Amino acid sequence: MLATGAFWLTLLLIPLAAAWSRSPDLAHGWAAPLLMVYLWWERLPSGASSPGDLGRGGLALGVVVVFTIVLSLVGLRLFLEPFPLWPVVLILYALGLLTLGGLFVYRHGGRAWAMWLLAPCIVLVGAVPWPGLVDQLLIQPLREGLASVAAEFITLFAQPALAQGTSVRLASGWVGIDEACGGIRSLQASVMLALFFGELGRFGLNRRIALFFAGVAAALFGNFARILFLAFTATGGAEEVHAAHDTAGWLALGLTLVGVGAVAWVLRPGQSGAIEQTVVSPPLTPDRPSTARRAVLPFALIPLAALALSELGVRFWFDSGEARQAEIRGWEARLPDKRPDFRDEPLGELAREMLQPDAYQAGRWLDDSGERTAAYTIEWHHGQIARTLPFLHNPTVCLPLAGCELRKELGMRVFQFGDLALPFHSYLFSRAGEEFLVSFLVWDPSRGEPLRQPQDHPGWFPWIKTCWNEVLERRRHQPAQMLCVALYGTDAERRTQDVLNLIIQPPERGR
């Protein structure tokens, strides 16, 4: 029984671990298995329990349900190998494995055992990526409101401040500019901790809901304190603001965790409400005949063996596909870092965590007409993160959240470099009354064409079909190149071609 449970937990953790290792906002997820194990140990069974009796009809239906779940899990696992951060697929995969585990344990020891297994798994709600709709409808509006309140508070007690998007502009620099289009730091960690305390204290539904919202409030307060800390302590310019980010981040995390723990302590049931102590826990060894216990083994082991074989098959399928992929770069980008007026702009830690680039370069200089010019180039080589990330973190998304105003959409502009034609998206932005032109391109070097956007496949079915084609082609990795240039001053549209000629290196001119 223990060996079967350990194997089931391993199957559950494999895709979750891949998500935790790739998303900085889910780095706290590594604590989820420890919290679950502690909850299982803390409520070790001691009472009597009756095994789950499905009956003949119920048993047949159970076999059909298990078979259907196993087939669904195999299909979902194929998607998760190239797309480990796909929220809906990862959530469905986890729910499928939890359902299987619950059925096995119920068949072995009854309802009490099933509840013993599944209840601690509630902490996984805070350890899986949340759907993008949550970010659009909840997190980004909360961050904009938080920035506005913080700006008013800073103006009242410290220095003039202005909220622009999700960032705060100070005389000494920007607060939140690096993570302008990111989420609320420590939000999911606080939610996971709130769910853990609710299960540890056997809270009722009302207390758990209250603790959940307290976790959200604690995360908001922690981020609010981070902004204030930066505003009140980092007064020596942008470099000092950047240097204080780590300290401010730890401050926000500490306040968040302490706040959740304090609310859980206040909400804990009193002695008169100790109904949790009267709940009968399942036994370590369920009271059922050995013949019946043996009958459960095929019910549990056959599906788990099938999932184990599918795990090996998925690895082999994508490993064999990697050797077949060829790269057709077509061009390379190199910023003019040898110019005497070039100023390198390194990527901040928070921005690096969000973008997760394999190669990055950014800088600013004066072009041949003496006008200010800035550019950055990013490359992704591993995983499928480039399938969506360049379209979630590009100038059209990040600049408005950083306080810039989109003045005009200029459409697609094709720039020619010998026989090579590259289509750039171009936009006119302004900040603090100053206009500038932004053009960017996201390129697929494995196909030698612009990377297809999710918007190119409107609707769920075309997008799923596209992802399935990635599975059929055994493409674990989707490489991408992103180049963005920003030009200030007059006649920016004409000067863009000259700037790109300076940056873009066709293969015969490349490194």
Side-chain angles (χ1 to χ4, degrees):
M1 181 68 179
L2 291 177
T4 303
F7 186 63
W8 166 82
L9 184 61
T10 301
L11 288 174
L12 176 63
L13 292 181
I14 287 175
L16 289 175
W20 298 336
S21 63
R22 286 169 172 80
S23 173
D25 287 337
L26 295 175
H28 65 276
W30 294 102
L34 301 178
L35 297 179
M36 291 163 58
V37 169
Y38 178 79
L39 289 172
W40 285 325
W41 172 84
E42 185 269 339
R43 56 167 62 185
L44 277 175
S46 58
S49 178
S50 300
D53 186 7
L54 299 176
R56 289 190 175 182
L59 182 60
L61 178 61
V63 171
V64 173
V65 170
V66 168
F67 181 76
T68 303
I69 293 175
V70 169
L71 285 182
S72 301
L73 289 175
V74 172
L76 293 171
R77 186 66 186 89
L78 283 168
F79 280 112
L80 285 176
E81 186 66 15
F83 303 100
L85 291 173
W86 192 344
V88 174
V89 176
L90 185 58
I91 291 171
L92 289 176
Y93 185 85
L95 287 176
L97 273 178
L98 291 176
T99 302
L100 276 183
L103 286 173
F104 299 157
V105 174
Y106 174 79
R107 183 81 177 116
H108 187 76
R111 180 177 179 274
W113 263 84
M115 291 302 297
W116 173 82
L117 174 76
L118 296 178
C121 298
I122 189 68
V123 300
L124 292 177
V125 172
V128 297
W130 291 351
L133 195 62
V134 175
D135 183 76
Q136 296 174 16
L137 299 182
L138 179 63
I139 294 179
Q140 290 300 336
L142 282 175
R143 290 195 66 224
E144 292 180 3
L146 194 65
S148 298
V149 174
E152 294 293 334
F153 194 91
I154 295 168
T155 300
L156 185 62
F157 293 101
Q159 58 177 305
L162 178 64
Q164 294 187 314
T166 60
S167 305
V168 177
R169 184 180 183 184
L170 309 174
S172 56
W174 287 85
V175 175
I177 195 71
D178 282 347
E179 70 274 23
C181 48
I184 298 176
R185 309 293 286 188
S186 73
L187 173 61
Q188 287 195 247
S190 65
V191 167
M192 184 180 74
L193 196 62
L195 296 172
F196 167 75
F197 280 131
E199 182 60 26
L200 180 65
R202 316 291 204 278
F203 287 4
L205 180 61
N206 291 336
R207 283 192 174 97
R208 293 190 190 223
I209 293 175
L211 189 55
F212 176 87
F213 283 106
V216 175
L220 291 174
F221 179 76
N223 280 265
F224 182 74
R226 180 181 66 86
I227 296 174
L228 296 185
F229 176 84
L230 291 173
F232 282 96
T233 61
T235 58
E239 292 184 0
E240 188 174 336
V241 172
H242 180 75
H245 264 297
D246 287 345
T247 303
W250 284 110
L251 173 66
L253 179 61
L255 288 175
T256 298
L257 300 184
V258 170
V260 175
V263 174
W265 176 263
V266 171
L267 291 177
R268 73 192 190 282
Q271 295 298 321
S272 59
I275 57 171
E276 294 78 10
Q277 303 302 321
T278 64
V279 175
V280 177
S281 298
L284 283 172
T285 305
D287 182 20
R288 68 185 287 121
S290 60
T291 54
R293 195 178 304 126
R294 286 196 299 268
V296 175
L297 291 178
F299 191 76
L301 295 181
I302 292 176
L304 290 179
L307 290 175
L309 290 175
S310 72
E311 184 71 31
L312 295 175
V314 166
R315 298 297 180 94
F316 175 78
W317 177 258
F318 285 97
D319 286 346
S320 62
E322 284 187 32
R324 302 174 52 197
Q325 294 183 21
E327 196 170 86
I328 313 170
R329 295 184 65 88
W331 59 274
E332 293 187 20
R334 177 190 291 173
L335 301 189
D337 52 4
K338 303 302 181 185
R339 295 174 67 109
D341 58 348
F342 183 87
R343 296 294 179 268
D344 185 55
E345 295 186 348
L347 188 63
E349 282 303 314
L350 295 175
R352 183 174 295 278
E353 286 183 355
M354 283 189 298
L355 296 175
Q356 303 178 51
D358 293 300
Y360 176 86
Q361 187 185 18
R364 50 190 170 85
W365 66 96
L366 299 179
D367 64 15
D368 293 338
S369 61
E371 299 285 2
R372 285 184 298 146
T373 304
Y376 66 82
T377 174
I378 307 177
E379 293 186 11
W380 295 273
H381 303 152
H382 303 94
Q384 289 274 351
I385 191 172
R387 175 63 63 182
T388 56
L389 196 64
F391 308 107
L392 295 175
H393 298 283
N394 63 55
T396 63
V397 178
C398 299
L399 287 180
L401 291 174
C404 300
E405 179 185 355
L406 176 59
R407 302 295 299 274
K408 187 177 181 182
E409 199 169 325
L410 302 178
M412 188 80 70
R413 301 181 63 201
V414 179
F415 295 92
Q416 201 72 30
F417 307 90
D419 296 333
L420 180 65
L422 298 180
F424 280 73
H425 300 276
S426 297
Y427 302 86
L428 185 65
F429 284 93
S430 68
R431 173 188 273 177
E434 182 182 29
E435 291 189 344
F436 57 98
L437 178 69
V438 173
S439 300
F440 75 94
L441 164 70
V442 183
W443 187 259
D444 182 354
S446 65
R447 295 186 173 96
E449 62 183 26
L451 185 63
R452 303 165 191 166
Q453 304 182 46
Q455 294 87 341
D456 295 338
H457 313 282
W460 272 101
F461 181 75
W463 172 243
I464 293 175
K465 183 179 178 181
T466 299
C467 296
W468 180 244
N469 287 335
E470 298 291 292
V471 173
L472 294 180
E473 294 177 12
R474 298 182 256 181
R475 292 170 59 91
R476 178 182 280 139
H477 304 295
Q478 171 60 66
Q481 300 167 266
M482 183 175 180
L483 173 62
C484 177
V485 297
L487 287 84
Y488 297 79
T490 59
D491 204 14
E493 291 192 46
R494 182 192 61 80
R495 290 161 40 219
T496 301
Q497 178 74 65
D498 296 334
V499 171
L500 291 177
N501 285 337
L502 185 66
I503 296 173
I504 292 179
Q505 314 288 317
E508 62 272 13
R509 297 166 50 197
R511 286 169 286 185

